[in-house]
């Protein structure tokens, strides 16, 4: 069996450089999830490592397929030095463990909520899962394994998350784009929603 996590880490290093820090979190009944930190050009990127070890399974499936199914890791990018964003490690690990713990399939357009600020003083407790392929290319695995997708996370304020539930992910992303919202600003205010 191929070592998926070794390939994932190699892909992250190729795309983002050498990590300057890593932390591991283990939740009861789950595999260990690591969060790697990459810094450069005034941006800090946090990437999970461990979520893709197993395919995500549709919660309505009678039996979990140990081979087939979507695989993903999460990537969060924020501007460096504006907030204590290193405290996001545990919330990110919680989100990365959610497919194992809650049986959810994390996909673009989904909202993920940790129920508390992503880091101390953060105006965000949830994230929007964006489309992969920009920052880190999908990692193709040998058949019959699905590729690993690197899903960017876009922090949402509570008002944005509520608005997204009504209007959808595409509408929220268009609103951010139309207002020139800096989605990497760890202290940004909510986009105007009226």
């Amino acid at each position: 069996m191929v070592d998926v996590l070794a390939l994932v880490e190699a892909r992250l290093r190729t795309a983002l450089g050498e990590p300057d820090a890593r932390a591991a979190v283990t939740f009861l009944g789950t595999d260990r999830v690591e969060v790697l930190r990459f810094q450069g050009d005034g941006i800090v990127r946090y990437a999970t490592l461990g979520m893709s070890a197993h395919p995500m399974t549709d919660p309505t499936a009678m039996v979990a397929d140990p081979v087939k199914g979507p695989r993903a890791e999460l990537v969060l990018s924020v501007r460096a030095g504006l907030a204590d964003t290193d405290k996001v490690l545990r919330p990110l690990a919680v989100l990365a463990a959610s497919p194992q713990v809650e049986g959810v399939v994390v996909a673009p357009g989904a909202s993920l909520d940790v129920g508390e600020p992503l880091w101390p003083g953060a105006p965000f407790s949830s994230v929007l899962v964006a489309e992969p392929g920009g920052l880190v290319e999908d990692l193709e695995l040998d058949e019959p394994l699905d590729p690993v997708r690197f899903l960017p996370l876009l922090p949402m304020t509570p008002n944005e998350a509520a608005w997204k539930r009504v209007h959808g992910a595409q509408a929220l992303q268009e609103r951010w784009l139309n207002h020139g919202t800096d989605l990497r600003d760890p202290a940004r205010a909510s986009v105007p929603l009226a």
Side-chain angles (χ1 to χ4, degrees):
M1 190 66 181
V2 65
D3 185 352
V4 173
L5 296 184
L7 296 173
V8 167
E9 184 167 353
R11 174 58 54 94
L12 287 168
R13 287 172 186 266
T14 299
L16 304 176
E18 286 299 310
D20 70 338
R22 65 194 307 146
V25 181
T26 305
F27 302 99
L28 189 62
T30 68
D31 293 337
R32 184 170 94 152
V33 174
E34 289 188 89
V35 179
L36 310 183
R37 183 181 70 189
F38 302 87
Q39 297 197 63
D41 298 328
I43 303 292
V44 183
R45 291 189 170 88
Y46 301 94
T48 63
L49 179 63
M51 183 176 168
S52 62
H54 305 284
M56 294 181 275
T57 305
D58 183 336
T60 61
M62 295 297 275
V63 179
D65 188 324
V67 177
K68 295 256 340 135
R71 295 174 188 258
E73 296 290 353
L74 307 175
V75 181
L76 174 70
S77 300
V78 292
R79 295 208 179 283
L82 301 177
D84 186 12
T85 56
D86 279 353
K87 297 286 195 295
V88 78
L89 299 177
R90 184 165 177 78
L92 270 183
V94 167
L95 296 177
S98 62
Q100 282 187 65
V101 175
E102 299 170 27
V104 297
V105 176
V106 177
S111 300
L112 303 176
D113 196 317
V114 295
E116 61 186 36
L118 291 175
W119 53 82
F124 321 104
S125 62
S126 63
V127 292
L128 175 64
V129 181
E131 290 291 334
L135 188 61
V136 184
E137 270 184 50
D138 290 355
L139 173 63
E140 297 294 332
L141 300 173
D142 293 336
E143 289 290 336
L145 303 180
D146 287 24
V148 177
R149 302 171 83 199
F150 297 87
L151 302 172
L153 300 180
L154 308 175
M156 293 187 292
T157 66
N159 287 345
E160 290 169 340
W163 197 86
K164 182 253 176 197
R165 279 192 293 277
V166 174
H167 300 281
Q170 185 68 37
L172 178 59
Q173 288 178 302
E174 287 172 11
R175 190 160 282 269
W176 282 335
L177 191 61
N178 293 338
H179 285 85
T181 305
D182 181 1
L183 296 173
R184 293 176 175 168
D185 181 351
R188 73 172 179 83
S190 184
V191 71
L193 298 170

